[in-house]
Amino acid sequence: MERTQGGHMIECMKTGPDGTTKIPAPVPGCWISVVKPDQSERQWLQETLGIVPEFVRSAFDEEESSHTDFDDDTKQALVIVDCPCVEDDQESDDPSTVQYETQPLSLLFIPEKDVIVTVSLRRNETIEAFLSGRVRNINTNLKTRFLLRILLHVSQRYLQCLRNIDRQFNANEKILRETLRDEQLIKMLGFQKSLVYFSTSLKADEATLTRIKNRQIIRLYDDDKDLLDDVFIEIRQAIEMTSIYTNILEGTMDTFGTIINNNVSQSMRILTVVTLVLSVPTIVFSFYGMNTEDKLPFAADWIPPMIITAALCVVAIVLLRRKRLI
């Protein structure tokens, strides 16, 4: 079963003797991937798979935060995690302009159908990696382990994005040191926004992972403990890296802000000094421009006033230098 009309897609994967392969229709023990669903897919999830409407509404909400939920009547479980993604779901041709945000990824456990369903409202790197086989040795029959593998990949994806942000930041900082252009400052704000998204989402994902560890909704097996610990390590490392990069970025932005203010102050100081020096000849020659030539010294010759004016300008410059204004 696969639908690709209008960019929407439903795919079914099943692990068997020959590995994990695509199958035409849902069967017990399979994984159902739903990407960019529309209202027809929403109706199919409720009517064909029997997913409770509350879970479907949560899965279709772009603003849904990371959390877990459980339905006592059907024993269905919902896990929503925040995944990193490129802003506006568009890869930029210029790697230096890539900025990130987060999107929800919903995982639904349907025990009566013995299937696990993932719902992504947009293109998702983790889902694509699992569907394409880049993530090996997955087993759709082991649903808890499958969930933890997805969470591990999501946390690793965060680390990749954070390293990319760090590379972009270092390159942009070098340009800023030379030019201090507005374009680079706007990029810095974009990095800061990405880190804010990551910080909020990672903390929510850690809380969700803690609830899973406490076995509130999903049964954990002894073989899954090591994998769960690996996920915790990756998530906490991503949280720590986000905090470090945020502090570095804020310190850098404050430093460049101070530099810009100092440059403006220096420019204003220079302009003030030039204005003061130029005011001396203006004052001197304004006297000679009046109808009082016979009362002013050297009114018949312009050379002495020029010498006096130059001398006064030199005196003004010397006094300003002693005051360290220039």
Side-chain angles (χ1 to χ4, degrees):
M1 175 184 182
E2 182 174 341
R3 305 178 186 179
T4 57
Q5 183 178 2
H8 309 288
M9 182 177 296
I10 297 179
E11 293 183 90
C12 301
M13 305 288 290
K14 178 72 169 64
T15 301
D18 299 328
T20 302
T21 57
K22 189 178 298 185
I23 57 176
V27 297
C30 76
W31 162 42
I32 303 172
S33 171
V34 184
V35 179
K36 296 182 179 180
D38 57 14
Q39 290 302 316
S40 62
E41 275 83 17
R42 179 172 184 166
Q43 185 177 1
W44 181 82
L45 289 172
Q46 290 186 207
E47 296 179 357
T48 303
L49 296 183
I51 301 176
V52 295
E54 292 81 4
F55 288 178
V56 175
R57 281 195 296 269
S58 297
F60 275 68
D61 187 357
E62 291 186 358
E63 303 299 327
E64 194 74 22
S65 61
S66 179
H67 70 279
T68 61
D69 202 352
F70 184 79
D71 185 73
D72 294 326
D73 296 330
T74 61
K75 306 302 180 183
Q76 296 179 11
L78 169 68
V79 177
I80 297 181
V81 295
D82 288 330
C83 303
C85 64
V86 176
E87 194 174 48
D88 296 332
D89 202 26
Q90 295 291 329
E91 293 284 354
S92 173
D93 295 333
D94 182 5
S96 65
T97 61
V98 175
Q99 296 177 7
Y100 298 97
E101 57 185 359
T102 57
Q103 62 171 332
L105 173 63
S106 303
L107 300 99
L108 300 112
F109 293 79
I110 317 300
E112 61 267 28
K113 299 289 185 179
D114 191 23
V115 298
I116 184 171
V117 182
T118 59
V119 179
S120 179
L121 302 181
R122 292 189 291 169
R123 173 176 171 265
N124 190 290
E125 289 284 346
T126 297
I127 297 301
E128 289 184 357
F130 275 71
L131 289 173
S132 63
R134 296 199 303 269
V135 179
R136 300 184 179 277
N137 301 322
I138 63 173
N139 191 335
T140 60
N141 298 298
L142 303 176
K143 297 176 179 56
T144 301
R145 177 168 289 269
F146 183 80
L147 166 67
L148 295 178
R149 291 291 300 275
I150 287 181
L151 294 177
L152 180 62
H153 191 277
V154 169
S155 60
Q156 292 171 345
R157 173 69 176 159
Y158 271 112
L159 294 174
Q160 294 173 2
C161 295
L162 286 168
R163 294 187 185 101
N164 191 25
I165 290 175
D166 184 49
R167 287 193 295 269
Q168 296 179 71
F169 169 77
N170 291 332
N172 200 59
E173 183 183 7
K174 292 179 181 178
I175 299 175
L176 266 177
R177 289 179 179 178
E178 299 174 358
T179 62
L180 285 178
R181 295 175 59 186
D182 292 343
E183 181 181 353
Q184 273 64 45
L185 291 173
I186 292 174
K187 287 181 181 180
M188 287 292 195
L189 292 176
F191 300 151
Q192 191 172 29
K193 183 175 71 172
S194 299
L195 291 174
V196 170
Y197 284 142
F198 281 10
S199 177
T200 303
S201 297
L202 282 167
K203 291 177 182 177
D205 286 349
E206 184 185 27
T208 298
L209 196 62
T210 301
R211 287 192 289 271
I212 293 174
K213 183 179 181 180
N214 294 334
R215 303 184 181 186
Q216 294 182 359
I217 63 167
I218 300 172
R219 181 179 179 183
L220 289 174
Y221 299 90
D222 293 336
D223 295 338
D224 299 327
K225 291 183 178 179
D226 291 339
L227 182 57
L228 180 62
D229 291 338
D230 292 340
V231 179
F232 263 110
I233 291 173
E234 298 289 334
I235 286 286
R236 287 165 180 167
Q237 182 180 353
I239 293 174
E240 183 177 358
M241 287 178 61
T242 302
S243 178
I244 292 173
Y245 291 161
T246 299
N247 292 335
I248 293 174
L249 181 58
E250 290 177 350
T252 303
M253 291 291 287
D254 291 340
T255 300
F256 280 117
T258 302
I259 292 173
I260 292 173
N261 290 333
N262 289 340
N263 291 342
V264 172
S265 299
Q266 184 67 21
S267 299
M268 294 301 297
R269 179 186 299 177
I270 293 173
L271 291 174
T272 303
V273 169
V274 171
T275 302
L276 290 173
V277 174
L278 292 178
S279 66
V280 174
T282 302
I283 294 173
V284 172
F285 287 105
S286 65
F287 282 108
Y288 284 91
M290 300 178 183
N291 296 323
T292 57
E293 293 88 350
D294 55 339
K295 298 181 180 180
L296 293 175
F298 314 111
D301 189 0
W302 60 272
I303 294 179
M306 291 288 292
I307 295 175
I308 295 173
T309 301
L312 291 175
C313 289
V314 171
V315 171
I317 292 174
V318 171
L319 292 176
L320 291 172
R321 287 184 65 85
R322 288 184 176 180
K323 296 293 184 179
R324 296 182 178 180
L325 296 177
I326 58 175

